[in-house]
Amino acid sequence: PSEKLEVNGSILIPNNTYFKADNSAGTAVPLFRLDSSNHLEIINGNSTNGDIIFKDAGGDTNMRIIGSSGNVGIGTTSPTNLMHINGSDGNGVSLRLQGDASYGATIRYGRGTSYNWNAGVGGASSSVSNIPSSFWGIEDQSQSNAVRLVIAHTTGNVGIGTTSPSAKLEISNDAGQAQNTVLVIKSDDPDGDQNGSSSADIDFHIWDSNTRLSTPQARIGIRGNATGNQNSEAGGTLSFYTNVANYSSPSLTEALR
């Protein structure tokens, strides 16, 4: 034998009985047991706030459970949240979730037991998620898993209110025949009144392999004017602009208001 006790074979410990070890004071304290419900129980019996540390053969700490808080640290010995991961692989990946090919992989977020949201990759056979298969999405589990946003895996199209976006961004709002606002664009100056230079615009660009101009080919936007102020937010015109066909010195010209 190379140690004080060397056993070649199995050691049988009766159910619900602790395996113990002496602490630094020479007092026997429990380390683990198979409890009466047949659960493996690992415990730092030396202190009610004692940590549990997992180390490798080189003595490096791989994981630490803080006894006083229950915080779990991977790659850190002082986790500040319930789960704290420090470090990543060579490509910057710190955490990987890989679900079943038929069911996807999502994370559920909730405020207490209410207002639950799922986010992740959908699977065709999942009975608790409506995120389309292989799409990344966000769904409101509290509202019958209504899908609020998706990103298509083949096209990169983004859908808000639709699970089958046909453009880079498609917004859908099924509100019946009532007036409804689908998109709001705001430009705010919290420190002053609007004026003729205030605007809220949408720019349109057509690029090719040779040109990447910062000036758009067209612009639609609302312009403020001097009659507006922070109290009334009055005034403003809707204007349409097109680009002057001059590659060396492009500029926008108002075409309609």
Short mmCIF file of all heavy atoms in Angstrom, two decimals, residues 210-255:
data_model
loop_
_atom_site.label_atom_id
_atom_site.label_comp_id
_atom_site.label_asym_id
_atom_site.label_seq_id
_atom_site.Cartn_x
_atom_site.Cartn_y
_atom_site.Cartn_z
N ASN A 210 -18.00 49.14 -55.88
CA ASN A 210 -17.07 50.26 -56.04
C ASN A 210 -17.37 51.43 -55.12
O ASN A 210 -16.47 52.17 -54.73
CB ASN A 210 -17.08 50.76 -57.49
CG ASN A 210 -16.64 49.69 -58.47
OD1 ASN A 210 -15.64 49.03 -58.25
ND2 ASN A 210 -17.40 49.50 -59.53
N THR A 211 -18.64 51.63 -54.80
CA THR A 211 -19.02 52.83 -54.06
C THR A 211 -19.57 52.47 -52.69
O THR A 211 -20.34 51.52 -52.53
CB THR A 211 -20.09 53.63 -54.83
OG1 THR A 211 -21.23 52.79 -55.04
CG2 THR A 211 -19.55 54.09 -56.17
N ARG A 212 -19.16 53.23 -51.73
CA ARG A 212 -19.70 53.12 -50.37
C ARG A 212 -19.85 54.53 -49.83
O ARG A 212 -19.22 54.93 -48.85
CB ARG A 212 -18.77 52.29 -49.47
CG ARG A 212 -18.70 50.81 -49.80
CD ARG A 212 -20.01 50.12 -49.48
NE ARG A 212 -19.93 48.68 -49.61
CZ ARG A 212 -20.20 48.03 -50.73
NH1 ARG A 212 -20.54 48.73 -51.82
NH2 ARG A 212 -20.14 46.73 -50.78
N LEU A 213 -20.68 55.32 -50.51
CA LEU A 213 -20.81 56.73 -50.15
C LEU A 213 -21.59 56.88 -48.85
O LEU A 213 -22.56 56.17 -48.60
CB LEU A 213 -21.53 57.49 -51.27
CG LEU A 213 -20.84 57.53 -52.64
CD1 LEU A 213 -21.70 58.28 -53.63
CD2 LEU A 213 -19.46 58.18 -52.51
N SER A 214 -21.16 57.84 -48.05
CA SER A 214 -21.88 58.11 -46.81
C SER A 214 -23.15 58.90 -47.09
O SER A 214 -24.08 58.89 -46.27
CB SER A 214 -20.98 58.89 -45.85
OG SER A 214 -20.55 60.11 -46.42
N THR A 215 -23.21 59.61 -48.22
CA THR A 215 -24.41 60.37 -48.57
C THR A 215 -25.43 59.42 -49.21
O THR A 215 -25.11 58.73 -50.18
CB THR A 215 -24.08 61.50 -49.56
OG1 THR A 215 -23.08 62.34 -48.98
CG2 THR A 215 -25.31 62.31 -49.89
N PRO A 216 -26.66 59.38 -48.71
CA PRO A 216 -27.65 58.46 -49.27
C PRO A 216 -28.15 58.91 -50.63
O PRO A 216 -28.01 60.08 -51.01
CB PRO A 216 -28.77 58.50 -48.23
CG PRO A 216 -28.65 59.85 -47.61
CD PRO A 216 -27.18 60.15 -47.57
N GLN A 217 -28.75 57.98 -51.38
CA GLN A 217 -29.36 58.33 -52.65
C GLN A 217 -30.71 59.03 -52.45
O GLN A 217 -31.15 59.80 -53.31
CB GLN A 217 -29.57 57.08 -53.52
CG GLN A 217 -28.36 56.69 -54.36
CD GLN A 217 -27.32 55.95 -53.54
OE1 GLN A 217 -27.56 55.62 -52.39
NE2 GLN A 217 -26.15 55.71 -54.12
N ALA A 218 -31.36 58.75 -51.34
CA ALA A 218 -32.64 59.40 -51.06
C ALA A 218 -32.85 59.47 -49.56
O ALA A 218 -32.24 58.72 -48.79
CB ALA A 218 -33.78 58.64 -51.73
N ARG A 219 -33.73 60.39 -49.15
CA ARG A 219 -34.02 60.58 -47.73
C ARG A 219 -35.47 61.03 -47.58
O ARG A 219 -35.96 61.84 -48.36
CB ARG A 219 -33.09 61.60 -47.11
CG ARG A 219 -33.43 62.01 -45.67
CD ARG A 219 -32.42 63.00 -45.13
NE ARG A 219 -31.12 62.36 -44.93
CZ ARG A 219 -30.00 63.02 -44.69
NH1 ARG A 219 -30.01 64.35 -44.65
NH2 ARG A 219 -28.87 62.38 -44.51
N ILE A 220 -36.13 60.46 -46.59
CA ILE A 220 -37.46 60.92 -46.19
C ILE A 220 -37.37 61.32 -44.73
O ILE A 220 -36.84 60.56 -43.91
CB ILE A 220 -38.52 59.83 -46.37
CG1 ILE A 220 -38.61 59.39 -47.83
CG2 ILE A 220 -39.89 60.32 -45.89
CD1 ILE A 220 -39.55 58.22 -48.06
N GLY A 221 -37.86 62.49 -44.41
CA GLY A 221 -37.76 62.91 -43.02
C GLY A 221 -38.69 64.05 -42.68
O GLY A 221 -39.28 64.69 -43.56
N ILE A 222 -38.84 64.26 -41.40
CA ILE A 222 -39.64 65.38 -40.92
C ILE A 222 -38.69 66.47 -40.44
O ILE A 222 -37.66 66.19 -39.84
CB ILE A 222 -40.60 64.95 -39.80
CG1 ILE A 222 -41.53 66.09 -39.41
CG2 ILE A 222 -39.85 64.41 -38.59
CD1 ILE A 222 -42.63 65.69 -38.47
N ARG A 223 -39.01 67.72 -40.79
CA ARG A 223 -38.19 68.86 -40.42
C ARG A 223 -38.92 69.72 -39.41
O ARG A 223 -40.12 69.97 -39.55
CB ARG A 223 -37.87 69.72 -41.66
CG ARG A 223 -37.01 69.01 -42.69
CD ARG A 223 -35.56 68.92 -42.21
NE ARG A 223 -34.76 68.11 -43.12
CZ ARG A 223 -34.66 66.79 -43.07
NH1 ARG A 223 -35.34 66.13 -42.17
NH2 ARG A 223 -33.91 66.13 -43.92
N GLY A 224 -38.19 70.17 -38.43
CA GLY A 224 -38.76 71.11 -37.48
C GLY A 224 -38.76 72.52 -38.06
O GLY A 224 -38.24 72.78 -39.15
N ASN A 225 -39.35 73.45 -37.35
CA ASN A 225 -39.28 74.85 -37.76
C ASN A 225 -39.29 75.75 -36.53
O ASN A 225 -39.44 75.27 -35.40
CB ASN A 225 -40.41 75.21 -38.73
CG ASN A 225 -41.79 74.99 -38.12
OD1 ASN A 225 -42.04 75.33 -36.98
ND2 ASN A 225 -42.68 74.39 -38.89
N ALA A 226 -39.14 77.02 -36.77
CA ALA A 226 -38.96 77.96 -35.66
C ALA A 226 -40.22 78.14 -34.83
O ALA A 226 -40.17 78.72 -33.75
CB ALA A 226 -38.49 79.31 -36.21
N THR A 227 -41.38 77.68 -35.34
CA THR A 227 -42.62 77.87 -34.58
C THR A 227 -42.77 76.85 -33.48
O THR A 227 -43.60 76.98 -32.60
CB THR A 227 -43.84 77.77 -35.51
OG1 THR A 227 -43.91 76.45 -36.04
CG2 THR A 227 -43.72 78.78 -36.64
N GLY A 228 -41.97 75.79 -33.54
CA GLY A 228 -42.09 74.74 -32.53
C GLY A 228 -41.39 75.12 -31.24
O GLY A 228 -40.49 75.95 -31.21
N ASN A 229 -41.82 74.54 -30.16
CA ASN A 229 -41.15 74.72 -28.88
C ASN A 229 -41.40 73.50 -28.01
O ASN A 229 -42.20 72.63 -28.35
CB ASN A 229 -41.62 76.00 -28.19
CG ASN A 229 -43.12 76.02 -27.93
OD1 ASN A 229 -43.63 75.22 -27.15
ND2 ASN A 229 -43.83 76.92 -28.61
N GLN A 230 -40.71 73.46 -26.89
CA GLN A 230 -40.82 72.30 -26.03
C GLN A 230 -42.20 72.15 -25.41
O GLN A 230 -42.58 71.06 -24.97
CB GLN A 230 -39.77 72.38 -24.92
CG GLN A 230 -38.35 72.15 -25.41
CD GLN A 230 -37.35 72.24 -24.29
OE1 GLN A 230 -37.52 73.05 -23.38
NE2 GLN A 230 -36.33 71.41 -24.33
N ASN A 231 -42.96 73.23 -25.35
CA ASN A 231 -44.26 73.16 -24.73
C ASN A 231 -45.33 72.60 -25.66
O ASN A 231 -46.20 71.84 -25.25
CB ASN A 231 -44.68 74.55 -24.23
CG ASN A 231 -43.72 75.09 -23.20
OD1 ASN A 231 -43.26 74.35 -22.34
ND2 ASN A 231 -43.42 76.37 -23.28
N SER A 232 -45.27 72.98 -26.93
CA SER A 232 -46.33 72.58 -27.86
C SER A 232 -45.89 71.54 -28.88
O SER A 232 -46.71 70.82 -29.44
CB SER A 232 -46.86 73.80 -28.62
OG SER A 232 -45.85 74.32 -29.47
N GLU A 233 -44.57 71.43 -29.13
CA GLU A 233 -44.04 70.55 -30.17
C GLU A 233 -44.77 70.77 -31.49
O GLU A 233 -45.07 69.84 -32.24
CB GLU A 233 -44.13 69.09 -29.75
CG GLU A 233 -43.27 68.78 -28.53
CD GLU A 233 -43.28 67.33 -28.16
OE1 GLU A 233 -44.04 66.56 -28.78
OE2 GLU A 233 -42.52 66.94 -27.24
N ALA A 234 -45.10 72.01 -31.76
CA ALA A 234 -45.86 72.35 -32.98
C ALA A 234 -44.92 72.48 -34.17
O ALA A 234 -43.71 72.55 -34.03
CB ALA A 234 -46.63 73.65 -32.78
N GLY A 235 -45.51 72.54 -35.36
CA GLY A 235 -44.75 72.77 -36.57
C GLY A 235 -44.13 71.49 -37.10
O GLY A 235 -44.25 70.42 -36.53
N GLY A 236 -43.45 71.61 -38.23
CA GLY A 236 -42.80 70.47 -38.83
C GLY A 236 -43.36 70.16 -40.20
O GLY A 236 -44.56 70.34 -40.47
N THR A 237 -42.49 69.72 -41.13
CA THR A 237 -42.91 69.35 -42.48
C THR A 237 -42.30 68.01 -42.84
O THR A 237 -41.21 67.65 -42.37
CB THR A 237 -42.45 70.41 -43.50
OG1 THR A 237 -41.01 70.51 -43.45
CG2 THR A 237 -43.07 71.76 -43.22
N LEU A 238 -42.99 67.25 -43.68
CA LEU A 238 -42.50 65.99 -44.20
C LEU A 238 -41.82 66.28 -45.54
O LEU A 238 -42.45 66.80 -46.45
CB LEU A 238 -43.63 64.98 -44.39
CG LEU A 238 -43.21 63.59 -44.90
CD1 LEU A 238 -42.31 62.90 -43.88
CD2 LEU A 238 -44.45 62.73 -45.18
N SER A 239 -40.53 65.96 -45.66
CA SER A 239 -39.75 66.31 -46.84
C SER A 239 -39.16 65.07 -47.49
O SER A 239 -38.84 64.09 -46.80
CB SER A 239 -38.63 67.28 -46.48
OG SER A 239 -39.14 68.47 -45.90
N PHE A 240 -39.00 65.14 -48.81
CA PHE A 240 -38.40 64.07 -49.60
C PHE A 240 -37.17 64.63 -50.31
O PHE A 240 -37.23 65.68 -50.94
CB PHE A 240 -39.40 63.53 -50.64
CG PHE A 240 -40.62 62.91 -50.03
CD1 PHE A 240 -41.66 63.69 -49.55
CD2 PHE A 240 -40.73 61.52 -49.92
CE1 PHE A 240 -42.79 63.12 -49.00
CE2 PHE A 240 -41.86 60.95 -49.36
CZ PHE A 240 -42.90 61.74 -48.90
N TYR A 241 -36.05 63.92 -50.22
CA TYR A 241 -34.79 64.38 -50.79
C TYR A 241 -34.24 63.32 -51.74
O TYR A 241 -34.41 62.11 -51.53
CB TYR A 241 -33.75 64.64 -49.69
CG TYR A 241 -34.10 65.76 -48.76
CD1 TYR A 241 -34.98 65.57 -47.71
CD2 TYR A 241 -33.54 67.02 -48.93
CE1 TYR A 241 -35.30 66.60 -46.84
CE2 TYR A 241 -33.85 68.07 -48.06
CZ TYR A 241 -34.73 67.85 -47.02
OH TYR A 241 -35.04 68.87 -46.17
N THR A 242 -33.57 63.76 -52.79
CA THR A 242 -32.86 62.86 -53.68
C THR A 242 -31.42 63.35 -53.82
O THR A 242 -31.11 64.52 -53.58
CB THR A 242 -33.51 62.81 -55.08
OG1 THR A 242 -33.60 64.14 -55.60
CG2 THR A 242 -34.91 62.22 -54.99
N ASN A 243 -30.55 62.44 -54.27
CA ASN A 243 -29.12 62.72 -54.37
C ASN A 243 -28.79 63.28 -55.74
O ASN A 243 -29.23 62.76 -56.76
CB ASN A 243 -28.33 61.43 -54.13
CG ASN A 243 -26.86 61.69 -53.87
OD1 ASN A 243 -26.33 62.74 -54.21
ND2 ASN A 243 -26.20 60.71 -53.27
N VAL A 244 -28.01 64.34 -55.76
CA VAL A 244 -27.50 64.87 -57.01
C VAL A 244 -26.53 63.85 -57.62
O VAL A 244 -25.67 63.30 -56.93
CB VAL A 244 -26.77 66.21 -56.79
CG1 VAL A 244 -26.13 66.69 -58.08
CG2 VAL A 244 -27.75 67.25 -56.27
N ALA A 245 -26.69 63.56 -58.91
CA ALA A 245 -25.88 62.53 -59.57
C ALA A 245 -24.47 63.04 -59.81
O ALA A 245 -24.08 63.40 -60.93
CB ALA A 245 -26.53 62.11 -60.88
N ASN A 246 -23.69 63.09 -58.75
CA ASN A 246 -22.33 63.57 -58.86
C ASN A 246 -21.49 62.75 -57.88
O ASN A 246 -21.50 62.98 -56.68
CB ASN A 246 -22.26 65.06 -58.53
CG ASN A 246 -20.88 65.64 -58.78
OD1 ASN A 246 -19.86 64.94 -58.70
ND2 ASN A 246 -20.84 66.93 -59.09
N TYR A 247 -20.75 61.78 -58.43
CA TYR A 247 -20.02 60.87 -57.56
C TYR A 247 -18.95 61.58 -56.74
O TYR A 247 -18.74 61.27 -55.57
CB TYR A 247 -19.37 59.75 -58.40
CG TYR A 247 -18.52 58.82 -57.58
CD1 TYR A 247 -19.11 57.83 -56.79
CD2 TYR A 247 -17.13 58.94 -57.56
CE1 TYR A 247 -18.33 56.98 -56.02
CE2 TYR A 247 -16.35 58.09 -56.78
CZ TYR A 247 -16.96 57.11 -56.02
OH TYR A 247 -16.20 56.28 -55.26
N SER A 248 -18.28 62.55 -57.34
CA SER A 248 -17.17 63.21 -56.64
C SER A 248 -17.65 64.14 -55.55
O SER A 248 -16.95 64.40 -54.58
CB SER A 248 -16.31 63.99 -57.65
OG SER A 248 -17.09 65.00 -58.28
N SER A 249 -18.88 64.67 -55.70
CA SER A 249 -19.39 65.59 -54.69
C SER A 249 -20.89 65.40 -54.53
O SER A 249 -21.70 66.24 -54.93
CB SER A 249 -19.08 67.05 -55.09
OG SER A 249 -19.54 67.94 -54.10
N PRO A 250 -21.30 64.27 -53.94
CA PRO A 250 -22.72 64.00 -53.81
C PRO A 250 -23.38 64.91 -52.78
O PRO A 250 -22.77 65.33 -51.80
CB PRO A 250 -22.75 62.54 -53.34
CG PRO A 250 -21.46 62.37 -52.61
CD PRO A 250 -20.47 63.22 -53.34
N SER A 251 -24.65 65.21 -52.99
CA SER A 251 -25.40 66.03 -52.05
C SER A 251 -26.86 65.75 -52.21
O SER A 251 -27.34 65.32 -53.25
CB SER A 251 -25.12 67.52 -52.27
OG SER A 251 -25.55 67.91 -53.56
N LEU A 252 -27.62 65.98 -51.15
CA LEU A 252 -29.06 65.79 -51.16
C LEU A 252 -29.77 67.10 -51.50
O LEU A 252 -29.40 68.15 -50.99
CB LEU A 252 -29.54 65.27 -49.81
CG LEU A 252 -29.23 63.80 -49.48
CD1 LEU A 252 -29.54 63.51 -48.03
CD2 LEU A 252 -30.01 62.87 -50.40
N THR A 253 -30.79 66.96 -52.33
CA THR A 253 -31.59 68.12 -52.71
C THR A 253 -33.05 67.82 -52.40
O THR A 253 -33.56 66.74 -52.74
CB THR A 253 -31.46 68.45 -54.21
OG1 THR A 253 -30.08 68.72 -54.48
CG2 THR A 253 -32.29 69.63 -54.56
N GLU A 254 -33.71 68.77 -51.77
CA GLU A 254 -35.12 68.56 -51.44
C GLU A 254 -35.94 68.51 -52.73
O GLU A 254 -35.87 69.42 -53.57
CB GLU A 254 -35.64 69.66 -50.53
CG GLU A 254 -37.07 69.42 -50.06
CD GLU A 254 -37.53 70.46 -49.05
OE1 GLU A 254 -36.78 71.43 -48.80
OE2 GLU A 254 -38.63 70.29 -48.50
N ALA A 255 -36.73 67.45 -52.89
CA ALA A 255 -37.54 67.27 -54.09
C ALA A 255 -39.01 67.52 -53.85
O ALA A 255 -39.74 67.88 -54.78
CB ALA A 255 -37.35 65.86 -54.65
#
